[in-house]
């Protein structure tokens, strides 16, 4: 790795000084196309060696944000620092970044080796240095025997490797990935996901990764940045975001199948507890976060993950919800039930029908149209204030009772 | 009936679809080419009986000084026309910039494409007119006298080619503009991230993506240069003393004005061979290049 850290870019860098700096800092990044605000004041600070995954629905601005970091898009206002250096006005080639594109964007008329060495060639590095850097990257990615081929002769996975190799060769301060796995088939995607994670561990480089795939986000990230409508909804480690979503959007975005949401009314607030109810739902007492500022009579949204709803065998009296199974999906390791609970309709549900999604264990002898009773542990419930902008239930401990739930 | 159709449609459908084109090609291109070759072996005034003279027309052509003047002029056309693709590319790159008012500039470069080449010829004849033409005015502004380009046997071909180039450049520009619109944005982005800019960006990232367009631009330009005819007809009628004639015009002149259809057909056949040789060579080169890479 010592060779890899040789300064490719002619700017001298003091290693000690650099270690004290953030790899990447974004200050109030704004981007607008006419009246449309693509990015609304984004702040982010990335430590060296972090694997940041930016995730969000289509049109949330994640790719635009990545392109502004790369310098391929200009920003309307704000500041971008890479390794402590203000690069806001600099050309992409001078920023110390490398980027892997969704379509790989390999130069079709160049061989694999020429593709990978092109950046160094443009930086006018001596040929021996280029060859060495290409050989080293090729070895890491196990494409040494492909170096003389052209991109057209390679499979999707190999092209992906070449694109990553082209990034490695430049030994950038920050790697940028723009949905790099979305063009691969499912099996290859899983494989490349694992390889990218181990590559990150091997290089110890800072990586910013954009995806709409929450599995990629959950599995690869050291921290996830959830974006929505050009703004950061929440930043945190995957499990932190999963356990303690800061608002309705994050709660709904992370987790598959999606969290169930119900419109509820706050009946009473006493100390750190709130009693809530809805038609078709037995009254529930949830713990409130400090300063939750909830009043009786308020509207709120109750959120429960499908895996946290359990079948209450036969005991209809103790059940929180009773309804009828509309559809059963057997996935082998687990079974997904879609339950019609009559008056209790799920808002923005997984199936779009208002049915409640329930995820239960492997062998659940249950068939469509059979009546079921569902129970909910109040500790698993999330409550979101009326506007959905904040979570008002107490934070979940990082070590949770997740395992208990699975053993039905 | 239906079963017959069903059994044979795998070859009937493509055949029927290609038939109109094939018939048209056979009648307009193949048959007339063969007929031209046939006529070129005769002495024929276009009305009377055809007299077989074998290779007589070709033998006469070899000794005709006008043939060599026309051939030389065709070479001048060809060489000068080769400027059209690079200049067209340069202008396309220029007007493709996102600068305010570029749309107006772009549409001005389109103008020669809209004009009939006969109109372009007439306009340039006026430009070249010694006493009151635009060229004369420019020369006079510098206190010089404009040469009478169209009556000077050394300059006349160049003057006509410049006029023809005007619209050929516009044509190449349009081709390249279309090509520039189809550039892969991600490839450009990858190039920028790799630090390519200016000349390097053009040479390593943009031009390789324009190979197909360049191929078409060059082929069309070469064919355009070899079959050039209308401008000459409008501007000089091959004059003075046949010094601006080219093979295509000489063929036309011999057939129509001198009633020598056999001789004209012989010139046409020679032109045909020249074009066929070029096209074959060019195509094989392109195909080979495509097999090698990209």
């Amino acid at each position: 790795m010592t060779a890899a850290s040789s300064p490719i870019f002619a700017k001298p860098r003091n290693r000690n000084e650099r270690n004290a700096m953030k790899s990447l800092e974004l200050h109030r990044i704004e981007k607008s196309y006419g009246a449309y605000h693509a990015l609304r004041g984004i702040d982010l600070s990335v430590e060296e060696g972090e694997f940041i995954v930016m995730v969000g629905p289509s049109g949330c601005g994640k790719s635009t944000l990545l392109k502004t970091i790369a310098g391929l898009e200009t920003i309307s206002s704000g500041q971008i620092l890479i390794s402590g250096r203000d690069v806001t006005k600099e050309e992409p080639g001078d920023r110390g970044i490398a980027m892997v594109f969704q379509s790989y964007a390999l130069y079709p008329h160049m061989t694999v080796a020429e593709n990978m060495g092109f950046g160094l060639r443009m930086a006018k590095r001596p040929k021996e240095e280029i060859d060495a850097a290409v050989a080293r990257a090729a070895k890491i990615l196990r494409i040494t025997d492909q170096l003389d081929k052209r991109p057209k002769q390679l499979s999707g996975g190999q092209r992906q490797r070449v694109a990553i190799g082209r990034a490695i060769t430049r030994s950038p301060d920050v790697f940028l990935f723009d949905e790099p796995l979305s063009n691969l088939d499912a099996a290859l995607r899983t494989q490349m996901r694992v390889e990218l994670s181990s590559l990150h561990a091997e290089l110890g480089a800072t990586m910013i990764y954009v995806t709409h795939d929450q599995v990629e986000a959950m599995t690869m990230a050291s921290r996830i940045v959830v974006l929505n409508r050009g703004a950061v909804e929440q930043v945190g480690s995957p499990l932190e975001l999963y356990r303690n979503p800061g608002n309705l959007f994050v709660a709904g975005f992370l987790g598959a199948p999606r969290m169930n949401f119900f419109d509820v009314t706050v009946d009473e607030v006493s100390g750190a507890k709130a009693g809530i109810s809805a038609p078709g739902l037995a009254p529930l007492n949830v713990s409130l976060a400090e300063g939750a500022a909830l009043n009786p009579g308020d509207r709120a949204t109750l959120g429960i993950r499908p895996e946290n709803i359990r079948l209450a065998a036969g005991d209809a009296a103790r059940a929180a919800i009773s309804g009828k199974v509309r559809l059963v999906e057997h996935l082998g390791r687990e079974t997904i039930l879609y339950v019609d609970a009559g008056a209790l309709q799920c808002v923005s549900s997984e199936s779009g029908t208002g049915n409640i999604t329930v995820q239960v264990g492997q062998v659940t002898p249950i068939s469509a149209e059979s009546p079921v009773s569902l129970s909910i542990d109040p500790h698993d419930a999330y409550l979101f204030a009326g506007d959905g902008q904040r979570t008002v239930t107490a934070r979940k401990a990082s070590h949770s009772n997740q395992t208990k739930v699975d053993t039905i | 009936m239906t079963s017959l159709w069903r059994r044979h449609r795998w070859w009937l459908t493509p055949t029927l679809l290609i038939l109109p084109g094939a018939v048209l090609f056979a009648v307009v291109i193949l048959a007339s080419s063969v007929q031209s070759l046939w006529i070129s072996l005769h002495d024929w005034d276009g009305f009377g009986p055809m007299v077989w003279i074998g290779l007589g027309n070709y033998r006469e052509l070899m000794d005709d000084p006008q043939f060599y003047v026309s051939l030389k002029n065709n070479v001048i056309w060809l060489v000068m026309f080769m400027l059209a693709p690079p200049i067209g590319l340069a202008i396309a790159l220029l007007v493709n910039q996102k600068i305010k008012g570029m749309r107006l500039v772009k549409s001005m470069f389109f103008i020669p494409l809209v004009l009939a080449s006969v109109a372009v010829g007439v306009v340039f004849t006026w430009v070249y007119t010694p006493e009151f033409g635009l060229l004369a005015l420019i020369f006079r502004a510098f206190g010089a006298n404009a040469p009478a380009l169209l009556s000077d046997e050394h300059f006349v071909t160049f003057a006509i080619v410049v006029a023809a180039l005007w619209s050929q450049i516009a044509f190449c520009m349009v081709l390249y503009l279309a090509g520039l619109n189809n550039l892969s944005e991600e490839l450009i982005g990858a190039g920028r991230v790799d630090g390519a800019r200016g000349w390097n960006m053009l040479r390593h990232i943009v031009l390789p993506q324009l190979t197909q367009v360049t191929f078409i631009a060059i082929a069309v330009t070469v064919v355009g240069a070899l079959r050039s005819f209308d401008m000459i007809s409008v501007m000089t009628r091959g004059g003075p003393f046949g010094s601006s004639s080219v093979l295509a015009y000489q063929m036309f002149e011999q057939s129509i004005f001198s009633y020598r259809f056999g001789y004209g057909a012989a010139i046409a056949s020679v032109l045909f061979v020249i074009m066929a040789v070029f096209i074959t060579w060019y195509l094989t080169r392109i195909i080979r290049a495509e097999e090698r890479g990209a």
Side-chain angles (χ1 to χ4, degrees):
Chain A
M1 278 319 296
T2 45
S5 55
S6 71
I8 295 294
F9 301 95
K11 293 174 197 71
R13 288 192 295 225
N14 183 327
R15 297 291 298 184
N16 294 330
E17 196 183 343
R18 196 183 149 213
N19 281 340
M21 283 174 196
K22 308 283 186 195
S23 237
L24 171 72
E25 283 171 274
L26 306 179
H27 295 305
R28 293 182 299 281
I29 304 290
E30 299 265 356
K31 167 96 186 163
S32 43
Y33 302 97
Y36 175 69
H37 288 270
L39 300 174
R40 306 160 186 261
I42 291 188
D43 283 295
L44 185 67
S45 173
V46 179
E47 305 283 340
E48 192 169 353
E50 270 194 298
F51 197 121
I52 300 288
V53 176
M54 294 181 179
V55 69
S58 300
C60 70
K62 53 191 192 300
S63 277
T64 308
L65 181 58
L66 196 75
K67 281 179 187 149
T68 61
I69 298 171
L72 296 173
E73 296 258 10
T74 55
I75 53 177
S76 308
S77 69
Q79 201 186 17
I80 300 169
L81 280 84
I82 290 173
S83 300
R85 197 161 51 86
D86 186 347
V87 298
T88 316
K89 296 265 180 330
E90 285 189 13
E91 274 291 305
D94 300 332
R95 294 192 174 199
I97 50 108
M99 184 153 169
V100 176
F101 292 82
Q102 185 171 3
S103 68
Y104 320 134
L106 299 177
Y107 312 123
H109 56 288
M110 297 185 198
T111 64
V112 168
E114 284 166 348
N115 261 287
M116 288 167 63
F118 187 69
L120 298 184
R121 195 171 141 209
M122 288 298 104
K124 299 210 168 60
R125 309 306 301 171
K127 194 175 177 309
E128 307 80 62
E129 183 186 323
I130 299 177
D131 290 345
V134 168
R136 195 175 58 236
K139 198 171 156 224
I140 295 173
L141 295 162
R142 302 192 308 278
I143 48 173
T144 305
D145 49 348
Q146 317 282 347
L147 284 177
D148 293 327
K149 290 190 182 161
R150 282 175 201 274
K152 207 171 72 171
Q153 299 165 280
L154 302 179
S155 69
Q158 289 168 328
R159 285 180 205 186
Q160 184 62 75
R161 285 207 174 80
V162 176
I164 296 168
R166 185 168 65 182
I168 295 177
T169 317
R170 306 192 64 223
S171 16
D173 293 344
V174 179
F175 284 81
L176 306 176
F177 294 89
D178 188 7
E179 309 210 17
L181 306 187
S182 56
N183 285 352
L184 301 176
D185 61 52
L188 203 51
R189 201 177 307 161
T190 311
Q191 185 195 339
M192 285 306 289
R193 212 170 66 204
V194 175
E195 282 192 28
L196 267 176
S197 288
S198 53
L199 183 72
H200 174 245
E202 191 176 341
L203 297 177
T206 311
M207 296 184 173
I208 315 285
Y209 187 104
V210 160
T211 182
H212 62 268
D213 183 330
Q214 54 156 311
V215 178
E216 283 173 27
M218 294 298 286
T219 52
M220 299 166 83
S222 32
R223 278 196 299 158
I224 294 179
V225 178
V226 181
L227 288 165
N228 185 29
R229 292 185 195 162
V232 174
E233 292 279 352
Q234 200 177 355
V235 182
S237 75
L239 285 183
E240 194 182 328
L241 293 198
Y242 189 78
R243 295 234 169 79
N244 295 304
N247 54 42
L248 198 60
F249 178 83
V250 177
F253 191 78
L254 291 179
R258 246 170 90 87
M259 190 185 273
N260 296 292
F261 295 116
F262 308 99
D263 284 330
V264 295
T265 314
V266 179
D267 294 328
E268 56 166 335
V269 179
S270 60
K273 290 275 186 185
I276 54 169
S277 67
L281 176 73
L284 209 62
N285 266 311
V286 296
S287 316
L288 291 182
E290 269 181 58
L294 213 59
N295 298 309
D298 282 357
R299 305 290 299 167
T301 305
L302 172 70
I304 303 160
R305 293 205 185 276
E307 68 264 31
N308 292 339
I309 303 180
R310 266 149 291 164
L311 295 173
D315 192 2
R318 270 185 48 213
I321 305 161
S322 43
K324 203 180 229 184
V325 177
R326 285 289 175 218
L327 186 70
V328 183
E329 288 178 344
H330 295 284
L331 301 179
R333 198 172 63 82
E334 64 214 22
T335 304
I336 312 284
L337 309 176
Y338 297 96
V339 177
D340 182 356
L344 186 68
Q345 288 285 303
C346 199
V347 287
S348 65
S349 65
E350 175 94 5
S351 57
T353 56
N355 288 347
I356 302 168
T357 316
V358 182
Q359 184 181 338
V360 290
Q362 186 179 8
V363 277
T364 307
I366 202 157
S367 57
E369 300 308 318
S370 50
V372 283
S373 302
L374 306 173
S375 69
I376 299 165
D377 184 340
H379 291 110
D380 295 328
Y382 297 88
L383 196 64
F384 305 94
D387 57 0
Q389 288 305 307
R390 61 202 167 87
T391 310
V392 291
T393 31
R395 287 171 68 90
K396 309 280 183 289
S398 56
H399 56 88
S400 85
N401 46 8
Q402 187 75 28
T403 46
K404 191 177 74 189
V405 175
D406 279 341
T407 53
I408 287 182
Chain B
M1 178 59 207
T2 34
S3 77
L4 191 75
W5 167 249
R6 204 166 289 162
R7 228 175 315 129
H8 292 285
R9 70 175 162 197
W10 64 271
W11 66 270
L12 269 174
T13 310
T15 310
L16 286 175
L17 284 174
I18 215 163
L19 206 60
V23 167
L24 215 64
F25 184 77
V27 172
V28 177
I29 309 286
L30 288 183
S32 20
S33 303
V34 172
Q35 207 178 359
S36 287
L37 271 172
W38 180 245
I39 294 174
S40 75
L41 302 175
H42 293 79
D43 191 9
W44 186 40
D45 62 4
F47 308 102
M50 287 163 71
V51 180
W52 174 267
I53 54 167
L55 291 175
N57 282 325
Y58 292 96
R59 236 174 270 128
E60 187 188 339
L61 200 58
M62 291 301 113
D63 293 329
D64 185 350
Q66 179 60 49
F67 171 71
Y68 294 100
V69 171
S70 300
L71 200 60
K72 186 195 82 186
N73 284 339
N74 260 133
V75 172
I76 293 174
W77 272 83
L78 196 58
V79 171
M80 282 186 71
F81 249 45
M82 280 298 118
L83 291 172
I87 296 176
L89 172 64
I91 295 175
L93 289 170
L94 181 73
V95 300
N96 201 41
Q97 307 291 321
K98 287 190 183 80
I99 300 175
K100 221 175 166 185
M102 239 347 154
R103 287 175 70 94
L104 184 74
V105 177
K106 206 189 281 189
S107 39
M108 284 169 70
F109 277 107
F110 268 104
I111 288 175
L113 273 185
V114 184
L115 298 177
S117 56
V118 171
V120 174
V122 171
V123 168
F124 267 83
T125 312
W126 291 340
V127 169
Y128 293 143
T129 305
E131 279 311 307
F132 52 86
L134 182 62
L135 196 70
L137 293 180
I138 293 172
F139 266 75
R140 211 166 300 151
F142 289 96
N145 270 330
L149 288 178
L150 293 184
S151 15
D152 185 314
E153 56 179 288
H154 299 294
F155 291 132
V156 64
T157 295
F158 294 97
I160 301 172
V161 175
V162 166
L165 259 181
W166 189 46
S167 42
Q168 190 65 33
I169 287 171
F171 185 69
C172 290
M173 178 199 77
V174 171
L175 284 180
Y176 277 115
L177 272 180
L180 287 173
N181 273 329
N182 281 329
L183 290 184
S184 150
E185 206 175 303
E186 288 212 324
L187 268 185
I188 302 280
R192 288 180 66 193
V193 168
D194 271 339
R197 64 191 71 157
W199 167 248
N200 276 327
M201 176 60 92
L202 182 67
R203 154 116 175 57
H204 295 293
I205 315 283
V206 174
L207 280 186
Q209 294 184 68
L210 294 175
T211 325
Q212 295 292 331
V213 177
T214 305
F215 161 62
I216 293 169
I218 290 180
V220 168
T221 302
V222 167
V223 172
L226 289 178
R227 54 146 217 223
S228 54
F229 158 80
D230 36 11
M231 296 287 230
I232 298 164
S233 172
V234 171
M235 294 176 78
T236 64
R237 300 189 169 227
F241 323 117
S243 60
S244 66
S245 189
V246 294
L247 290 178
Y249 187 77
Q250 197 188 346
M251 164 197 82
F252 169 76
E253 191 191 32
Q254 288 295 330
S255 314
I256 306 294
F257 294 141
S258 311
Y259 303 103
R260 301 191 60 197
F261 278 87
Y263 195 53
I267 299 171
S269 303
V270 170
L271 191 56
F272 175 81
V273 169
I274 294 173
M275 283 209 203
V277 166
F278 163 76
I279 299 280
T280 314
W281 168 77
Y282 193 56
L283 275 180
T284 47
R285 239 198 65 177
I286 291 295
I287 290 167
R288 229 175 274 154
E290 280 195 352
E291 275 168 1
R292 263 205 315 276

